[in-house]
């Protein structure tokens, strides 16, 4: 009989192990479960931080922080800076929990157009790296404060590695505020050797410029 009882216990243990249930030694009544439905990986996410530092009406759409998992689009942000006080603070980051994008990079810069008034594009006019980290972090903020002064701000993205960054940029009013923009729904793609620049020239004319990003990888 004792042999039969031991065989039954071994069979029960085998069924438990096959189900992926393990008792953790030293932790009373604690079990860990392995399930086939758990995701094996998490997609990287592109993030935008967009905030007004003056009249909030100049910085529309999805303000604050947002993150969009690849290959989804972010929600639109909207530039409508003009002669009202303040401008829009803008920063970017990539949350990469599984380090899928190790060895890749994205950089961004906001600089005045040739002959444009530099103050419309803030004081941070260097080239900045977009953090690609297993925690959600944003890079250096840049500042858009275009108005009726000459010129505009060139927002440029450059990419290395296994990343494609899609950029939508389109007007919702006077198209002259968004030079070289494409119609809504169309986009340009930044990949190795091919940067993308959008031209922000929002001022007192009607409407503004809508902006979205999408991260893809291969």
């Amino acid at each position: 009989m004792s042999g039969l009882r031991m065989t039954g216990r071994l069979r029960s243990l085998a069924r438990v192990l096959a189900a992926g249930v393990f008792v953790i030694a030293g932790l009373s009544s604690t079990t860990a479960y392995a399930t086939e439905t758990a995701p094996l990986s998490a997609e990287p996410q592109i993030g935008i931080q967009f905030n007004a530092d003056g009249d909030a009406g100049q910085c529309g759409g999805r303000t604050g922080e947002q993150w969009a998992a690849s290959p989804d689009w972010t929600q639109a942000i909207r530039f409508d800076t003009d002669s009202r006080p303040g401008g829009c603070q803008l920063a970017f980051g990539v949350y990469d929990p599984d380090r899928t994008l190790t060895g890749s990079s994205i950089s961004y810069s906001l600089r005045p157009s040739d002959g444009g008034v530099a103050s419309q594009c803030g004081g941070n006019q260097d080239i900045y790296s977009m953090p690609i980290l297993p925690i959600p972090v944003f890079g250096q903020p840049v500042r858009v404060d275009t108005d009726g002064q000459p010129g505009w701000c060139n927002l440029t993205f450059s990419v290395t590695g296994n990343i494609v960054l899609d950029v939508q940029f389109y007007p919702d009013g006077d198209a002259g505020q968004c030079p070289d923009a494409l119609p809504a729904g169309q986009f340009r793609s930044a990949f190795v050797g091919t940067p993308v620049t959008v031209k922000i020239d929002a001022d007192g004319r009607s409407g503004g410029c809508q902006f979205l990003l999408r991260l893809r990888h291969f």
Side-chain angles (χ1 to χ4, degrees):
M1 293 295 292
S2 61
L4 290 174
R5 285 196 296 272
M6 182 60 69
T7 300
R9 289 172 182 169
L10 289 174
R11 287 175 178 168
S12 297
L13 178 59
R15 286 195 296 270
V16 168
L17 292 174
V21 180
F22 306 90
V23 177
I24 301 175
L27 297 179
S28 176
S29 302
T30 302
T31 57
Y33 297 89
T35 170
E36 294 181 1
T37 60
L40 299 178
S41 63
E43 285 294 325
Q45 300 178 34
I46 185 76
I48 301 177
Q49 187 179 58
F50 186 59
N51 295 295
D53 59 20
D55 189 311
Q58 300 184 105
C59 315
R62 177 65 159 85
T63 57
E65 298 181 6
Q66 61 166 311
W67 298 89
S70 175
D72 295 335
W73 287 98
T74 63
Q75 298 177 55
I77 64 173
R78 183 176 186 267
F79 302 102
D80 191 21
T81 52
D82 48 30
S83 60
R84 289 171 287 180
C88 303
Q89 299 277 347
L90 181 65
F92 306 95
V94 175
Y95 171 43
D96 187 18
D98 285 354
R99 299 186 183 275
T100 304
L101 307 179
T102 298
S104 301
S105 69
I106 307 175
S107 64
Y108 61 96
S109 64
L110 185 75
R111 292 176 168 171
S113 61
D114 291 342
V117 175
S119 62
Q120 297 182 104
C121 312
N124 297 325
Q125 296 179 7
D126 204 346
I127 299 174
Y128 300 104
S129 293
M130 192 181 298
I132 301 178
L133 295 171
I135 55 174
V137 176
F138 293 99
Q140 172 67 49
V142 294
R143 183 173 187 268
V144 179
D145 189 19
T146 53
D147 49 30
Q149 299 179 88
W152 58 80
C153 297
N154 290 320
L155 177 59
T156 300
F157 298 93
S158 298
V159 167
T160 69
N162 64 333
I163 292 174
V164 176
L165 185 67
D166 298 324
V167 183
Q168 282 194 59
F169 184 67
Y170 59 90
D172 59 18
D174 189 315
Q177 298 185 104
C178 324
D180 297 335
L182 296 176
Q186 298 184 26
F187 58 90
R188 294 184 171 95
S189 299
F191 49 90
V192 176
T194 304
V196 166
T197 296
V198 298
K199 301 173 181 179
I200 306 167
D201 193 20
D203 52 27
R205 290 169 286 184
S206 63
C209 303
Q210 303 271 353
F211 174 87
L212 304 84
L213 290 177
R214 178 174 67 179
L215 180 66
R216 294 182 286 140
H217 62 94
F218 52 90

